[in-house]
Amino acid sequence: MSVAATPPAIGSFSLPRSLRRRPRFRMAVRSSAVPVDSILTKLKHECATPLPVLRRVADAMAADMRAGLAVDGGSDLKMILSYVDSLPTGNEKGLFYALDLGGTNFRVLRVQLGGKEERVIDTEFEQVSIPQDLMFGTSEELFDFIASRLATFAQKEGGKFHLPPGRKKEIGFTFSFPVRQTSIDSGILIKWTKGFAVSGTAGRDVVACLNDAMERQGLDMRVSALVNDTVGTLAGARYWDDDVMVAVILGTGTNACYIERKDSIPKLQGHVSASGRTIINTEWGAFSNGLPLTVFDREMDAASINPGEQIFEKTISGMYLGEIVRRVLLKMAEDGALFGSSIPEKLSMPFVLRTPDLSAMQQDNSDDLQAVGSVLYDIAGVESNLNARKIVVEVCDTIAKRGGRLAGAGIVGILQKMEEDSKGLIFGKRTVVAMDGGLYERYPQYRRYLKDAVTELLGLEMSKNVVIEHSKDGSGIGAALLAAANSKYEHSF
Ligand code: BGC
């Protein structure tokens, strides 16, 4: 049995830190002193992602995709059918709602769509952070919270937002956890990820959970589409650009989806669609083949609430990068006296160092790395000299570099698989990968490493056709567009 770490703000790439205490220390007990330099050298060596490693990962990703498409359970990648067979056309009209539950924040949004001419007439949204206790509570508590926020938001409709009389408000529900879709508007939660451990939801239809909660609130709305955040992002980006073929989320968690040809999905039986294409949610966070991992990754995994699962996610996503660095720094403090003879107590707290802290430290260009010093002091209660700060930055860079480059290799794996089946339709023309998530958005070094890896793998010429585009918060509008496409009312107005 493993012991779950239940840290504060565990799933956050963006939450503010709540508590700051005065630094406390314990004396370093060193069994055998190991120079910090040699810990760093070993770390860099084990995290290295030269071209052959990237190739191996991209090839393994493509092979795992095929295995997951062949048969359910055929690989780590679930390759989930989204039941989204037709993408937004631009003709969508009317008022639609979107709900977004995926990480530390929960969003509600309404959008008035005006068809080809007017497109998005207006949007309004509200965002709240999910209280920590709800991440570890019961299913009813979580869905009641969501439904009550939705009820309050829905009451404030006005202005340019207009619902014809007699119609129910329709919702696109973005639920960003692995769900076995049973139709466009239903799906069973397979398991929670990203530090959520809500009891009583796994194995249940999450739309039914939401419907029950809405009923308890006396809220008469209808879920017309249940979508993963990657699927919402793809739909939202595709609304503006026909070349979008793939969507990737790099935030607290990570995942990718793409447009697949029906005849390339052997496990698809009896599911027909006019378009001959569908969106596949890869759930690539569960990928694990050929990754360069260290003892720090293994120990973090063993202490997590889902040991052995989501290994790619644990290596590349925002929830975990800070924690990996913390573990390395603790080892350097304990064995190599990185911060002198005492070890700051806070450095032993799981998840005290967050990925935004790494990014903040890597943006410090000052001679004395003052901002690095402040982050270390504020967060870990660490007093540091310049040498220690330099090492800390190198550790951050090593972990961010591995993450970004592996994410890039994953993207190339998907494109490679698509290209193999469609010969020239991916690399032979402009192909857009829509990206979203706080990690991608707010960690410039990570973003650069990702793009460099894509270019290295594809070569300069071919990579010119692959456009990696930030599609900020596209998943909300995307979910609303999919609700419109699956509206129960035949005629738009
Ligand atoms: C979930 C995915 C989700 C991703 C990004 C992962 O933990 O399993 O469903 O798309 O996070 O939010």
Side-chain angles (χ1 to χ4, degrees):
M1 204 179 81
S2 67
V3 180
T6 52
I10 186 173
S12 170
F13 186 81
S14 55
L15 270 186
R17 187 168 305 99
S18 50
L19 288 174
R20 289 187 180 177
R21 284 186 292 154
R22 300 293 306 154
R24 289 171 51 184
F25 302 93
R26 68 180 157 89
M27 294 311 287
V29 183
R30 263 167 255 134
S31 44
S32 61
V34 184
V36 165
D37 281 354
S38 67
I39 301 176
L40 184 60
T41 307
K42 185 160 183 267
L43 180 77
K44 283 186 174 171
H45 176 70
E46 289 176 353
C47 289
T49 48
L51 196 51
V53 171
L54 294 181
R55 274 234 158 88
R56 183 179 79 203
V57 169
D59 289 348
M61 182 68 77
D64 273 11
M65 288 170 71
R66 284 188 194 287
L69 289 172
V71 52
D72 272 333
S75 89
D76 283 346
L77 301 196
K78 294 205 162 51
M79 307 300 283
I80 294 170
L81 301 175
S82 65
Y83 288 83
V84 174
D85 298 335
S86 39
L87 287 154
T89 57
N91 292 322
E92 295 78 7
K93 276 189 180 179
L95 169 62
F96 294 92
Y97 278 76
L99 269 188
D100 192 337
L101 177 71
T104 42
N105 292 321
F106 161 68
R107 274 161 65 101
V108 278
L109 171 139
R110 69 182 135 244
V111 52
Q112 186 76 38
L113 299 168
K116 274 251 153 57
E117 296 298 305
E118 296 177 280
R119 292 272 166 162
V120 176
I121 296 173
D122 206 355
T123 56
E124 273 177 355
F125 76 92
E126 265 173 31
Q127 178 164 309
V128 281
S129 54
I130 302 277
Q132 271 283 300
D133 51 330
L134 288 186
M135 290 169 65
F136 301 96
T138 66
S139 192
E140 282 198 354
E141 286 163 351
L142 178 65
F143 281 95
D144 279 346
F145 172 80
I146 295 171
S148 75
R149 292 306 176 128
L150 176 62
T152 316
F153 181 71
Q155 266 168 15
K156 293 186 224 146
E157 196 178 283
K160 292 190 183 152
F161 300 97
H162 167 67
L163 190 75
R167 281 196 181 195
K168 270 195 186 189
K169 293 177 175 133
E170 292 186 287
I171 312 169
F173 182 20
T174 305
F175 185 78
S176 308
F177 299 93
V179 161
R180 185 161 316 289
Q181 286 283 148
T182 38
S183 69
I184 183 63
D185 58 3
S186 63
I188 311 287
L189 176 66
I190 300 170
K191 61 180 181 186
W192 289 105
T193 55
K194 296 177 276 199
F196 276 68
V198 177
S199 61
T201 325
R204 291 184 62 199
D205 178 359
V206 292
V207 174
C209 293
L210 178 62
N211 282 338
D212 290 350
M214 289 197 296
E215 210 171 293
R216 287 194 288 274
Q217 291 288 329
L219 188 61
D220 194 18
M221 293 174 85
R222 171 180 181 266
V223 175
S224 307
L226 170 68
V227 297
N228 185 261
D229 51 354
T230 52
V231 176
T233 301
L234 199 154
R238 181 81 182 205
Y239 183 63
W240 303 105
D241 186 340
D242 282 345
D243 290 337
V244 176
M245 297 297 285
V246 179
V248 175
I249 301 287
L250 283 161
T252 304
T254 184
N255 193 9
C257 76
Y258 70 106
I259 300 176
E260 182 58 284
R261 295 148 44 120
K262 290 277 175 74
D263 55 11
S264 298
I265 315 176
K267 72 177 175 185
L268 191 63
Q269 283 159 357
H271 176 63
V272 279
S273 91
S275 73
R277 293 187 301 176
T278 190
I279 299 180
I280 294 287
N281 165 14
T282 65
E283 284 295 335
W284 82 358
F287 175 75
S288 63
N289 260 332
L291 299 174
L293 300 177
T294 67
V295 63
F296 305 104
D297 301 296
R298 291 191 192 92
E299 287 176 0
M300 177 181 72
D301 175 48
S304 71
I305 50 178
N306 52 353
E309 291 177 5
Q310 299 294 105
I311 303 299
F312 196 44
E313 179 159 278
K314 286 171 179 162
T315 318
I316 71 168
S317 88
M319 177 162 165
Y320 301 99
L321 301 187
E323 172 61 4
I324 302 170
V325 169
R326 181 196 69 82
R327 286 172 176 270
V328 177
L329 298 185
L330 183 61
K331 171 86 173 160
M332 288 176 158
E334 284 177 344
D335 290 6
L338 175 64
F339 304 116
S341 58
S342 51
I343 300 162
E345 252 184 30
K346 275 172 89 180
L347 202 55
S348 306
M349 279 171 61
F351 291 90
V352 73
L353 195 63
R354 302 167 317 137
T355 306
D357 302 323
L358 313 190
S359 178
M361 290 194 278
Q362 284 210 253
Q363 309 322 311
D364 185 356
N365 294 320
S366 66
D367 287 344
D368 58 353
L369 295 178
Q370 209 194 352
V372 175
S374 307
V375 170
L376 290 173
Y377 185 79
D378 287 355
I379 286 151
V382 168
E383 305 266 11
S384 54
N385 59 28
L386 182 57
N387 195 39
R389 291 175 194 177
K390 283 185 181 158
I391 287 168
V392 171
V393 173
E394 276 203 66
V395 174
C396 295
D397 193 61
T398 305
I399 300 304
K401 183 173 185 177
R402 179 185 65 166
R405 285 175 66 81
L406 290 175
I411 292 171
V412 171
I414 292 182
L415 295 171
Q416 203 171 294
K417 148 78 178 78
M418 295 169 83
E419 171 75 13
E420 279 164 16
D421 290 0
S422 65
K423 309 201 177 47
L425 288 180
I426 297 296
F427 295 141
K429 65 169 215 10
R430 180 175 179 269
T431 294
V432 177
V433 179
M435 306 283 303
D436 203 7
L439 174 58
Y440 182 78
E441 190 184 344
R442 295 193 287 276
Y443 203 152
Q445 284 81 0
Y446 183 99
R447 204 163 53 226
R448 204 191 62 233
Y449 287 134
L450 183 156
K451 289 186 174 171
D452 285 353
V454 171
T455 310
E456 261 176 59
L457 276 164
L458 294 181
L460 214 52
E461 270 316 299
M462 213 191 275
S463 64
K464 281 187 190 144
N465 280 342
V466 175
V467 181
I468 297 182
E469 229 162 51
H470 185 199
S471 161
K472 190 167 165 49
D473 298 333
S475 82
I477 302 264
L481 285 164
L482 293 172
N486 294 286
S487 166
K488 74 168 179 172
Y489 303 105
E490 265 181 37
H491 304 288
S492 48
F493 57 97

